[in-house]
Amino acid sequence: MAVPFVSFLPMERELDADLRAAFDRVYRRSWYIGGEEDAAFEKAFAAWCGTKFTVGCGNGLDALMLALKAIGLQPGDEVIVPADTYIATALAVTYAGGIPVPAEVRLDTFNLDPEKLESAISRKTKAIMPVHLYGQPCEMDRIAAIAKKNRLAVIEDCAQAHGAAWNGRKVGTFGIAAGFSFYPGKNLGALGDAGAVVTGDEALAKKIRALGNYGSDIKYHHLYQGHNSRLDELQAAFLSAKLPHLDRMNEARRAIAKKYLEQIRHPEVVLPAVLPEATPVWHIFGIRCARRDALEAWLTEKGIGTGRHYPCPVHLQPCYQDLGYREGDFPAAEEIARTELSLPMYYGMTEAETDAVIAAVNSFPQE
């Protein structure tokens, strides 16, 4: 049986009427930026996250960048990021004028390793940006304690973790602010690029909103040298149509992950660890295999779609050669880059499709 790496069709078929109604509602109003849809979604998403304010913006990278600028990041300030993450995390720091400083990650969860975190802190460090990678929550109690001890801001990268929780508390509520992406493939995805910052700080929310609106607090009055990064009405309407269904769609992902964790039993395959305090949402289900390329080819032959997240760690990316890092500086992140393979994970996967993935992995010929 062929199984795609990802498919939007089951969700889109189920929500077709709601999505079309959302489009029609915006189209009839003829109001496309900064209107009722944006306000309604921002209010609903803040409540769903368990915080006070949401500020919509153009994408997840902008969300992180705007949050960093809003806390007053200055040229030369350092922000700690995981060495294993999507490049947008580091780029947000660069675009805000700071310097991304990679820190080591855990091999079993792929997230920041609190044991290695303090060694990355210097007198120039301004903030820590934990990434809840693949929808797995970071160890936020330990990270928050380290940040408090060193008087550092925490800005969470929640781009892949809509609804994930640590000790029963949703991610996005542990730091001063958090950035979300609503790229179409995310657990909560728009029908185009979109993002948001959430925060419990009203003054910070107002500053972020101004920064994303050309630096303007009121029309033609510009407090800051800002950006054009706003959540448009159409995407807000689509997100509002999807948000009420997100909890049960996350539960469906958890059911798929549960079967993977229980039934994939190949001696060369390392499954992700789920810490006792963690409630993941499984944006991506990443396994590790020393013979990753051979496993990938085997699954492709069997009709199983796969992905690699991410084949080059941040510190070895060509665009960050100027930071001076070398191969061997972050062994765990580099091991993940060499061995990680992502299995199909999306809302609407059938039992038969899940079983086909498990059977294909388990039948991978051993050396």
Side-chain angles (χ1 to χ4, degrees), residues 57 59-66 86-89 91-92 95 180-181:
C57 60
N59 53 67
L61 190 160
D62 283 359
L64 297 172
M65 179 268 291
L66 292 170
Y86 184 55
I87 196 67
T89 309
L91 289 176
Y95 293 168
F180 283 84
S181 167

Side-chain angles (χ1 to χ4, degrees), residues 211-277:
L211 283 167
N213 187 35
Y214 299 98
S216 176
D217 56 344
I218 57 176
K219 196 169 185 178
Y220 302 134
H221 183 259
H222 302 271
L223 295 171
Y224 318 104
Q225 296 177 11
H227 303 264
N228 176 16
S229 183
R230 300 170 295 193
L231 178 62
D232 71 63
E233 287 286 278
L234 270 175
Q235 300 306 337
F238 293 143
L239 291 167
S240 289
K242 288 185 173 185
L243 182 59
H245 305 276
L246 182 54
D247 286 329
R248 66 179 179 83
M249 290 182 173
N250 280 342
E251 283 301 322
R253 288 173 178 265
R254 291 189 185 107
I256 296 165
K258 185 173 185 290
K259 286 195 71 172
Y260 282 164
L261 291 168
E262 290 176 350
Q263 297 182 28
I264 291 176
R265 289 292 180 267
H266 193 289
E268 295 182 61
V269 171
V270 180
L271 296 168
V274 180
L275 301 179
E277 302 90 343

Side-chain angles (χ1 to χ4, degrees), residues 129-195:
M129 189 178 286
V131 180
H132 306 292
L133 201 66
Y134 308 163
Q136 279 259 46
C138 293
E139 297 163 75
M140 288 309 303
D141 46 4
R142 298 180 67 187
I143 292 171
I146 291 169
K148 183 177 180 180
K149 173 185 171 184
N150 292 277
R151 298 181 179 179
L152 303 175
V154 173
I155 295 178
E156 298 172 73
D157 183 340
C158 300
Q160 301 181 3
H162 313 66
W166 181 259
N167 267 331
R169 180 178 170 183
K170 281 185 178 175
V171 300
T173 63
F174 289 89
I176 191 170
F180 283 84
S181 167
F182 302 124
Y183 182 77
K186 297 299 195 291
N187 292 38
L188 179 62
L191 302 190
D193 272 323

Side-chain angles (χ1 to χ4, degrees), residues 112-129:
L112 269 176
D113 186 345
E115 297 291 336
K116 310 288 178 61
L117 186 54
E118 286 200 85
S119 64
I121 297 172
S122 78
R123 60 182 179 80
K124 296 180 180 179
T125 307
K126 178 82 172 184
I128 302 171
M129 189 178 286

